[in-house]
Amino acid sequence: MNAEELKAGKERVRDLLIAPLVELGMKRKRGDTVEAHDKMLDNLAAILAYMDAPNLKGLKSVMIGLAGGKARDQWPSQISFLNNAKRFQEPEASDSEMVHSLIGSKAGQRAYEGGYLVEFYSDLKAGKHVLGSYAERNLRERGAANKRRLDRIRAQQDRDTALPSDLNWMAGYAGYERRALAVLEAENCKNEAGA
């Protein structure tokens, strides 16, 4: 998810989930500071930014019934929101901490240097096993095969003989490559800032 999509997603969460719950009378938990409550709502907007409008509306209906406190008007916990959100819409694997963590790890750096970052990223998104010598060899072979396929399609494209299906595959591959490189760059920046 890029910065623009995250911003739009956070607005969607605020408009379709948080604001309607506030309007219905949902209050911060007793004992929570205003600052802590606002931070929880900001985190919630960021974490749920992947959700689409109909699923946010469904989540709102469920969360009304999970309000806490004596008057049943206090915000449920963030974990309650997250667990119930997954019942409506699973986050994409690319949005998971595991994908970001592994892309930013030494294994992700090897994938980048070895020319199979796209395949590494693709398998992570699909939840496939990517660690170990067998998986790494498989990824390296697929990366080399895909590079040969890209070279062939580009050559055909230069001669105006490329098939539409090959051009579509190449566009999809380029999209995965952009996303994988963006995740790698973000993780490298985080690692450098933490060092």
Side-chain angles (χ1 to χ4, degrees), residues 32-132:
D32 279 359
T33 64
V34 171
E35 183 179 277
H37 178 71
D38 289 345
K39 185 177 180 184
M40 187 273 292
L41 294 180
D42 286 342
N43 286 341
L44 200 57
I47 292 167
L48 299 179
Y50 71 91
M51 293 185 75
D52 58 29
N55 289 325
L56 284 167
K57 290 175 183 176
L59 179 61
K60 177 191 74 171
S61 298
V62 169
M63 299 316 290
I64 290 168
L66 297 176
K70 197 174 191 178
R72 311 273 305 145
D73 63 353
Q74 293 179 4
W75 283 85
S77 68
Q78 186 170 314
I79 196 72
S80 183
F81 274 94
L82 302 180
N83 287 334
N84 282 286
K86 287 180 182 177
R87 290 176 40 211
F88 285 91
Q89 183 178 348
E90 285 284 338
E92 290 184 25
S94 64
D95 296 333
S96 77
E97 289 180 27
M98 180 197 70
V99 170
H100 281 260
S101 176
L102 284 171
I103 291 281
S105 72
K106 289 180 181 177
Q109 193 61 41
R110 278 194 312 273
Y112 173 71
E113 292 166 359
Y116 57 93
L117 180 65
V118 175
E119 292 72 21
F120 185 76
Y121 176 75
S122 172
D123 281 9
L124 281 173
K125 278 185 58 91
K128 294 180 180 175
H129 183 73
V130 295
L131 300 177

